[in-house]
Amino acid sequence: EPEVTQTPSHQVTQMGQEVILRCVPISNHLYFYWYRQILGQKVEFLVSFYNNEISEKSEIFDDQFSVERPDGSNFTLKIRSTKLEDSAMYFCASRRGTNEKLFFGSGTQLSVL
Amino acid sequence: DQQVKQNSPSLSVQEGRISILNCDYTNSMFDYFLWYKKYPAEGPTFLISISSIKDKNEDGRFTVFLNKSAKHLSLHIVPSQPGDSAVYFCAASARGGAQKLVFGQGTRLTINP
């Protein structure tokens, strides 16, 4: 079965540094998402992306966050100046169409020190 | 704002018996419901979904029931197997827009031999 691929699997950074989390969604999918899960908590929506623009974002997704789809295959999440509370597992997800299941990547564990 | 709630943080079931996981929601705009299974350090894996026009959907050992009037859904696993031990998340989305998934807090299912 096709997969959503995320790199790196682990990222350790110093507070205030910029990080870029990378994702390769499934090739014929049109809707792209980032979610995160802080340890022991539920999976939270960050942002959705469709037709080369953000379609919805949560309160968590403030000015420090941005997303890009620089080419036909990659989808990135950038955090400009990381905070301690950004430490979480970040999941990329994609789907082919509306009312279809969402496929998740295996996640990037971000640790901000 | 807990639009999707899983009130049981954990459930322990004997191998071969039925596992029943429950989920309640408050947003009447939700029209698509999904169950995901998650192992530690992995992304959520899709199990089964149901549209609001149905009240039951079955796939092998997994059956999801939807009670719209009670805003309640449940996942039945029969028979339960040791490999079913994982955290199970209920998720829901509303028609239109980004159709982001809203997740419950998860239920940790343990299948005992």
Side-chain angles (χ1 to χ4, degrees), chain A residues 82-96:
Chain A
T82 50
K83 302 188 280 280
L84 295 175
E85 54 265 37
D86 293 328
S87 295
M89 180 76 101
Y90 287 79
F91 296 106
C92 175
S94 69
R95 71 187 345 161
R96 186 176 52 184

Side-chain angles (χ1 to χ4, degrees), chain B residues 24-92:
Chain B
D24 297 297
Y25 62 96
T26 57
N27 189 342
S28 56
M29 300 300 290
F30 287 149
D31 66 343
Y32 186 55
F33 304 88
L34 308 90
W35 284 94
Y36 282 84
K37 177 179 178 180
K38 188 179 180 304
Y39 295 114
E42 291 186 15
T45 303
F46 171 79
L47 271 179
I48 192 167
S49 63
I50 188 166
S51 163
S52 60
I53 61 173
K54 294 187 173 182
D55 53 22
K56 177 182 173 181
N57 189 26
E58 195 170 349
D59 184 2
R61 297 187 297 115
F62 302 93
T63 304
V64 56
F65 295 93
L66 176 62
N67 182 334
K68 287 186 290 293
S69 59
K71 294 193 174 69
H72 177 84
L73 64 156
S74 60
L75 174 68
H76 292 210
I77 307 173
V78 179
S80 301
Q81 299 173 354
D84 296 330
S85 296
V87 178
Y88 288 77
F89 289 95
C90 168

Side-chain angles (χ1 to χ4, degrees), chain A residues 24-71:
Chain A
V24 179
I26 296 171
S27 62
N28 62 347
H29 285 191
L30 301 176
Y31 297 81
F32 312 109
Y33 304 81
W34 283 99
Y35 286 79
R36 78 174 186 188
Q37 185 183 27
I38 294 171
L39 188 63
Q41 297 185 25
K42 64 180 177 179
V43 178
E44 299 176 290
F45 168 77
L46 291 178
V47 67
S48 60
F49 194 86
Y50 170 71
N51 203 23
N52 284 322
E53 61 183 17
I54 291 174
S55 46
E56 188 173 348
K57 58 185 180 180
S58 71
E59 291 174 355
I60 304 167
F61 195 89
D62 62 23
D63 292 345
Q64 294 303 310
F65 290 84
S66 63
V67 288
E68 240 186 6
R69 187 155 161 81
D71 52 41

